[in-house]
Amino acid sequence: MKFMIMVFGDEADLREKSPGWIERVTAFMAHFDDEIAQTGELVYSEVLEFGSKATLVDRHGGLHAGTFSGTTKPLARFWVVTVPDETRALELAGHVAEAVESAVEVRQVMEGSQRP
């Protein structure tokens, strides 16, 4: 089963954190990526630019600065993992949530939806 584990946040959230917190979370992320890669669970992961650097394209082709998320925090980082069941995906997400001291979102990838 594939799941996406998502962390949300923006530049303001990061500026509120101490240098020590940033160092700990950065080390955790590197270790976490290595660990799930070694177990064969990691499909891929990405760190996204801050939402303030996003461009929203509307249905008329208009370009707007910022994200679609509006009042919610934009997607900042995600992992796609292949795991035996949802329990394992939630376990991995729990480690991430603990490290970033915030809730993270877990969603199953729809079977058969991937295209080359």
Side-chain angles (χ1 to χ4, degrees):
M1 301 177 79
K2 281 187 186 172
F3 289 86
M4 180 179 273
I5 301 168
M6 296 168 273
V7 175
F8 297 85
D10 59 19
E11 291 172 270
D13 295 331
L14 198 53
R15 281 194 296 268
E16 293 174 1
K17 303 298 184 184
S18 71
W21 183 91
I22 293 169
E23 189 174 309
R24 281 191 307 279
V25 170
T26 301
F28 166 83
M29 295 296 182
H31 176 75
F32 183 74
D33 281 353
D34 289 347
E35 182 181 312
I36 61 177
Q38 288 175 357
T39 63
E41 295 170 311
L42 179 64
V43 177
Y44 65 94
S45 69
E46 298 289 345
V47 178
L48 303 175
E49 288 278 349
F50 289 116
S52 62
K53 295 184 180 187
T55 300
L56 180 66
V57 180
D58 68 30
R59 65 189 178 114
H60 304 291
L63 305 178
H64 309 273
T67 66
F68 183 74
S69 61
T71 60
T72 62
K73 301 290 183 179
L75 181 62
R77 179 168 188 154
F78 67 90
W79 296 261
V80 174
V81 295
T82 298
V83 292
D85 54 36
E86 184 180 31
T87 301
R88 177 62 177 154
L90 297 175
E91 178 185 344
L92 292 172
H95 295 304
V96 174
E98 182 179 351
V100 300
E101 300 174 353
S102 180
V104 300
E105 184 175 334
V106 178
R107 294 175 65 185
Q108 186 172 355
V109 175
M110 293 178 65
E111 293 291 325
S113 65
Q114 297 79 30
R115 297 287 181 249

